[in-house]
């Protein structure tokens, strides 16, 4: 019965809500998991072979105006040492990354209003001028349509904005009242309309999450048809209201990665740092469940420990070259290879 659901998903790339729930409930069944992972890897191999794409992550600021209950960067966390990177430092990170073989740069940060639209477009256009053939990805939260458009016109190609949960009531349990699931989804629609390659995603095992919520997340992603989906297990941060909540499940995350590969055969699917934080072999397991992207850190070592969204984040003390070569070895150990490539999503 469950294997037939997996077969249906492979063929149709969609299930109904009750079918998704039934499938997800079996994430701890090893036989079912192995069957699902085998299908997911075969699809990833068909479209991408053994190639693993890298994204050079530059965490430009740990300031954030928001107070999301799960995030260590939240505005009310007074124990965090805040920082911002200036344009010259960001460009230096990209220069180092290019020398190391990165062809996609990801500028990520909290919703920091210090960076005006003018400042951000100047940074983006400078990166675009220096590296005309590289991809520029932004992950800077919710902005106006006009600002998204200005950044796109300045040279940004991709935008990552996790929807976190597609269920409005669940969204309200994770965020303060001024943030809404409706606005989050509108931002994603705006990004698609402008022409960005869009990435979304959610936390696995976030507080109050149910299998029903996860099924709704999958249905929302099927409707949105993003080029990228980032999911990772929830990990609590000690300076948040969710400090004592239970961590998300690595096994459930892997199961959902494989489901996403069957849903969106050509999607760019990261094996996240959060997986590697909870399981020493987590990133390798993510690739073996159908993922095809890893995101080493290009941020200056001096600020890495300060960008602490959750506790015990790995790779905060390594130089960029160390991160890259470590991942090379890890991927080669399971029969995969990191390639020098922008890593655009393939068309079906």
């Amino acid at each position: 019965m469950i294997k037939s659901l997996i077969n249906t998903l492979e063929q149709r790339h969609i299930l109904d809500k009750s079918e998704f729930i039934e499938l997800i409930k079996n994430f701890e069944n090893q036989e079912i998991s192995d069957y699902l992972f085998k299908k997911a890897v075969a699809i990833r191999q068909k479209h991408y072979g053994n190639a693993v794409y890298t994204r050079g992550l530059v965490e430009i600021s740990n300031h954030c105006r928001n107070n999301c209950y799960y995030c260590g960067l939240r505005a009310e966390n007074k124990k965090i040492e805040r920082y911002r990177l200036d344009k010259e430092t960001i460009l230096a990170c990209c220069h180092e990354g290019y020398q190391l073989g990165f062809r996609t740069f990801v500028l990520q940060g909290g919703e920091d209003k210090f960076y005006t639209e003018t400042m951000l477009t100047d940074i983006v256009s400078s990166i675009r001028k220096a590296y005309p053939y590289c991809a520029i990805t932004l992950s800077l939260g919710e902005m106006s349509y006009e600002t998204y458009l200005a950044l796109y016109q300045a040279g940004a190609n991709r935008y990552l904005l996790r929807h976190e949960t597609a269920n409005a009531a669940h969204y309200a349990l994770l965020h303060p009242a001024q943030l809404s699931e409706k606005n989050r989804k509108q931002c994603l629609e705006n990004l698609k309309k402008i022409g960005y390659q869009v990435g979304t995603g959610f936390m696995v095992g976030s507080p109050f999450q149910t299998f029903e919520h996860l099924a709704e997340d999958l249905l929302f992603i099927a409707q949105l048809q993003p080029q990228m989906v980032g999911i990772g297990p929830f990990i609590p941060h000690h300076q948040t209201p969710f400090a004592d909540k239970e961590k998300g499940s690595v096994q459930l995350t892997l199961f959902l990665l494989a489901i996403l590969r069957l849903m969106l055969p050509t999607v760019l699917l990261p094996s996240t740092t959060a997986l590697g934080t909870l399981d020493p072999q987590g990133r390798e397991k993510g690739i073996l469940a159908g993922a095809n992207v890893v995101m080493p850190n290009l941020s200056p070592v001096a600020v890495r420990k300060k960008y602490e969204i959750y506790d015990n984040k790995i790779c905060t003390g390594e130089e960029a070259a160390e991160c890259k070569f470590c991942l090379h070895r890890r991927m080669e150990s399971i029969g995969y290879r990191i390639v020098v490539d922008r890593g655009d999503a393939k068309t079906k």
Side-chain angles (χ1 to χ4, degrees):
M1 163 63 180
I2 303 304
K3 287 184 179 180
S4 68
L5 284 179
I6 294 171
N7 294 337
T8 299
L9 181 59
E10 180 185 23
Q11 293 159 10
R12 292 173 40 213
H13 311 303
I14 192 67
L15 299 174
D16 66 30
K17 184 175 175 179
S18 63
E19 289 171 329
F20 270 133
I21 292 170
E22 190 60 33
L23 177 55
I24 295 167
K25 283 180 179 178
N26 286 270
F27 78 94
E28 292 180 304
N29 183 313
Q30 195 62 54
E31 181 185 352
I32 295 299
S33 293
D34 289 345
Y35 186 77
L36 177 62
F37 295 162
K38 185 177 179 180
K39 294 277 190 184
V41 167
I43 291 169
R44 196 270 321 284
Q45 291 274 3
K46 175 183 175 183
H47 295 286
Y48 295 104
N50 285 340
V52 175
Y53 301 118
T54 55
R55 310 302 193 218
L57 184 62
V58 185
E59 295 161 335
I60 69 170
S61 171
N62 69 351
H63 290 258
C64 190
R65 62 176 177 167
N66 294 329
N67 266 308
C68 304
Y69 303 146
Y70 48 83
C71 183
L73 306 189
R74 63 196 313 265
E76 288 184 8
N77 180 4
K78 304 304 181 186
K79 300 285 182 73
I80 189 172
E81 185 181 348
R82 304 284 179 177
Y83 77 88
R84 294 182 175 104
L85 301 185
D86 59 24
K87 175 184 172 181
E88 289 69 29
T89 304
I90 294 168
L91 288 171
C93 291
C94 293
H95 175 75
E96 181 181 12
Y98 190 86
Q99 300 303 313
L100 288 170
F102 292 95
R103 296 298 180 264
T104 292
F105 307 117
V106 181
L107 306 189
Q108 180 174 300
E111 292 196 13
D112 184 359
K113 292 305 159 183
F114 170 82
Y115 295 97
T116 63
E117 180 181 308
T118 301
M119 290 171 67
L120 288 174
T121 53
D122 179 49
I123 291 168
V124 169
S125 62
S126 297
I127 297 171
R128 173 56 59 224
K129 183 177 179 181
Y131 310 102
Y133 303 110
C134 291
I136 301 171
T137 303
L138 303 178
S139 183
L140 302 171
E142 297 180 9
M143 297 178 175
S144 68
Y145 183 97
E146 291 74 21
T147 297
Y148 284 147
L149 178 61
L151 291 168
Y152 182 78
Q153 292 172 338
N157 309 95
R158 306 172 182 155
Y159 204 101
L160 307 178
L161 185 67
R162 287 188 178 190
H163 68 276
E164 301 301 0
T165 174
N167 180 280
H170 186 217
Y171 197 95
L173 294 173
L174 305 180
H175 303 88
Q178 62 266 35
L179 299 178
S180 75
E181 155 268 349
K182 182 178 179 181
N183 190 63
R184 198 75 162 184
K185 290 178 178 177
Q186 184 60 57
C187 284
L188 286 164
E189 292 296 336
N190 290 345
L191 290 162
K192 280 199 74 174
K193 183 177 179 181
I194 289 167
Y196 282 93
Q197 296 174 41
V198 175
T200 192
F202 55 90
M203 293 175 291
V204 178
S206 60
F208 318 110
Q209 187 181 71
T210 65
F211 290 146
E212 183 175 356
H213 294 149
L214 290 171
E216 291 174 14
D217 286 324
L218 295 175
L219 290 169
F220 171 71
I221 288 169
Q223 177 186 359
L224 183 67
Q225 290 289 302
Q227 287 83 11
M228 303 163 280
V229 178
I231 68 170
F234 164 74
I235 305 174
H237 186 283
H238 63 285
Q239 291 293 339
T240 68
F242 291 162
D244 61 347
K245 299 297 184 183
E246 187 177 346
K247 297 172 184 174
S249 162
V250 169
Q251 183 61 26
L252 180 53
T253 304
L254 298 173
F255 201 83
L256 289 161
L257 280 172
I259 288 174
L260 286 163
R261 176 58 67 196
L262 268 61
M263 285 173 54
L264 303 169
T266 61
V267 74
L268 295 165
L269 203 56
S271 187
T272 60
T273 302
L275 271 174
T277 297
L278 289 190
D279 185 325
Q281 298 295 312
R283 285 172 295 182
E284 291 93 323
K285 290 178 180 178
I287 299 297
L288 294 171
N292 64 332
V293 173
V294 290
M295 297 178 70
N297 202 325
L298 292 178
S299 305
V301 171
V303 303
R304 289 196 195 175
K305 284 184 168 61
K306 299 173 187 175
Y307 200 88
E308 191 181 68
I309 296 174
Y310 51 79
D311 286 344
N312 303 314
K313 183 180 171 187
I314 59 171
C315 301
T316 56
E318 295 180 344
E319 296 287 350
E322 289 180 276
C323 272
K324 178 78 182 292
F325 297 139
C326 170
L327 281 170
H328 262 291
R329 292 193 301 270
R330 285 176 173 272
M331 295 302 105
E332 287 172 357
S333 75
I334 56 172
Y336 290 79
R337 60 189 178 90
I338 287 180
V339 294
V340 177
D341 195 297
R342 277 173 49 121
D344 289 301
K346 296 185 184 298
T347 54
K348 294 177 184 178

